[in-house]
């Protein structure tokens, strides 16, 4: 029998980690009793928690390029096995496991839309919400509601750091929830904790649009085209690293056509 105090003595020999504790379960997201960096030989991580889909431990595993799994497959396997025994037909529902897992995942997961200011995130997010039947949330609008003032007013009165702190609080709260389409602000990904908060339950869609087509009116940090060029250079690697899907929104088209393009782009999420 080992305790947590014994872990440093065995850490170098651990190849697979299975977390069976409830640490990190909603609403106490982003909690963990260990740090994956302390296990240099680890090759795979399983966390039996299924809410959120990716705990802090699994997010660390994902970043390290390790194989990982959350607890939803185990939950479904237990349920179908129990149903079979209850009905006197053991194993009768086993072939349904993958279908049920996919259905539950698509129904429960969030979709987060990231990208440069003015790249169409709100429009795309709203259309994705219509396609998937999820609830749409514009993160900037949520921040304004919480602050009781517009974003330009927040910047003018309190400065960028205050706004970024509000943004992080909002990302942490929304990221815990399920069944949302979240349109983020252009700089939401600048803090790693925001990316983790979003990715714990979401597939992330990066919306691309040429800098020359991005608006500047009413946007505190998008002052002119030169500023946007520098901003894109700094942010593009972060967008790409955070995204699961990249959507090209460079061609202006009718909303009906855009909806069809989005259906194709997110087909696996429907």
């Amino acid at each position: 029998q080992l305790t947590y105090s014994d872990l440093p003595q065995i850490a170098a020999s651990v190849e697979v980690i299975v977390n069976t504790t409830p640490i990190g379960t909603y609403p106490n997201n982003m909690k963990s009793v260990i740090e994956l960096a302390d296990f240099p030989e680890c090759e795979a991580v399983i966390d039996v928690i299924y809410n959120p889909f990716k705990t802090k431990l699994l997010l660390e595993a994902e970043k390290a390029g390790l194989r990982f799994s959350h607890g939803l497959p185990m939950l479904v396997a237990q349920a179908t096995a129990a149903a079979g025994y209850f009905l006197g037909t053991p194993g009768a529902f086993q072939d349904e496991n993958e279908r049920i897992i996919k259905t539950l995942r698509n129904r429960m997961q969030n979709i987060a839309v990231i990208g440069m200011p003015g790249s169409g995130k709100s429009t795309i997010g709203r259309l994705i919400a219509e396609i998937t039947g999820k609830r749409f949330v514009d993160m900037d609008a949520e921040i304004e509601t919480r602050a009781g003032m517009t974003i330009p007013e927040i910047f003018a009165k309190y400065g960028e750091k205050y706004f970024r702190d509000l943004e992080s609080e909002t990302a942490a709260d929304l990221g815990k929830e399920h069944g949302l389409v979240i349109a983020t602000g252009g700089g939401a990904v600048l803090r790693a904790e925001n990316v983790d908060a979003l990715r714990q339950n979401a597939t992330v869609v990066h919306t691309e649009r040429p800098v020359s087509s991005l608006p500047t009116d009413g946007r505190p940090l998008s002052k002119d085209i030169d500023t946007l060029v520098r901003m894109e250079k700094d942010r593009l690697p972060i967008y790409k690293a955070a995204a699961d899907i990249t959507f090209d929104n460079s061609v202006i088209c009718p909303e009906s056509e855009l909806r069809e393009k989005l259906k194709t782009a997110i087909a696996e999420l429907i």
Side-chain angles (χ1 to χ4, degrees), residues 11-83:
S13 62
V14 173
E15 296 180 352
V16 178
I17 295 174
V18 182
N19 175 48
T20 62
T21 77
I23 304 299
T25 303
Y26 177 89
N28 299 310
N29 303 44
M30 297 300 171
K31 305 293 183 182
S32 180
V33 292
I34 62 173
E35 296 289 335
L36 191 58
D38 294 333
F39 300 86
E41 299 303 315
C42 183
E43 297 179 1
V45 180
I46 299 172
D47 200 323
V48 301
I49 293 170
Y50 53 88
N51 183 13
F53 289 139
K54 294 177 186 173
T55 58
K56 182 176 183 291
L57 185 61
L58 292 188
L59 287 166
E60 290 176 358
E62 182 179 50
K63 292 174 187 175
L66 306 183
R67 290 173 290 175
F68 66 91
S69 177
H70 52 69
L72 186 60
M74 186 177 79
L75 176 72
V76 172
Q78 289 176 325
T80 55

